[in-house]
Amino acid sequence: MGDAVDRNANHALRQRFDEVYGQYQRLRSGLDELRSTLDELQVTERSADGRVTATVGARGELITVELDPGIYQARDAAALGRTITETIRRATAGAVAATQDLVAGYLPAGAGPTEFLRTGDFGTLLARADAALGDGR
């Protein structure tokens, strides 16, 4: 009877290992594709008045800012600065959301890194790691 229990336990462990290893292989094989997609990702936003256009990359890095020549007629430097800043912020938020969606497609649902990308809560990510390692901090 003990041998049967051991075989059943080993079988269950082997199935779980195969499942986890399969997830790892899918993740690993998709990383090159993900990296390429993220390298090419660009999000462009236009200001409400259409005179400022900002393009950012996957990490929110500013790629270009384009100003319509008509913007110089207003001669309000503070308003121009606010418009440029807000347009870049919206483009960056769009890039962050697109990056989160892309990365989430390669990670298991509810995975710590996926939640970190969604929330930006580094403390929770570290707490999950500590719990998984049995650190108890």
Side-chain angles (χ1 to χ4, degrees), residues 107-132:
L107 297 173
T114 304
E115 290 302 306
F116 171 69
L117 284 172
R118 189 178 61 74
T119 65
D121 184 356
F122 196 64
T124 299
L125 181 62
L126 288 177
R128 287 179 74 150
D130 288 343

Side-chain angles (χ1 to χ4, degrees), residues 34-115:
L34 176 61
R35 183 178 299 124
S36 176
T37 303
L38 290 173
D39 286 345
E40 296 172 9
L41 179 75
Q42 293 185 357
V43 174
T44 300
E45 286 287 336
R46 185 174 298 246
S47 63
D49 64 7
R51 293 184 174 181
V52 176
T53 304
T55 301
V56 300
R59 293 173 199 85
E61 72 277 11
L62 183 62
I63 296 171
T64 63
V65 173
E66 298 173 10
L67 304 176
D68 181 274
I71 205 159
Y72 298 110
Q73 295 172 358
R75 299 197 185 269
D76 184 350
L80 174 58
R82 287 189 301 274
T83 299
I84 291 171
T85 301
E86 178 56 30
T87 304
I88 292 170
R89 281 186 183 146
R90 286 190 296 110
T92 300
V96 167
T99 299
Q100 289 170 342
D101 290 344
L102 284 170
V103 172
Y106 289 88
L107 297 173
T114 304
E115 290 302 306

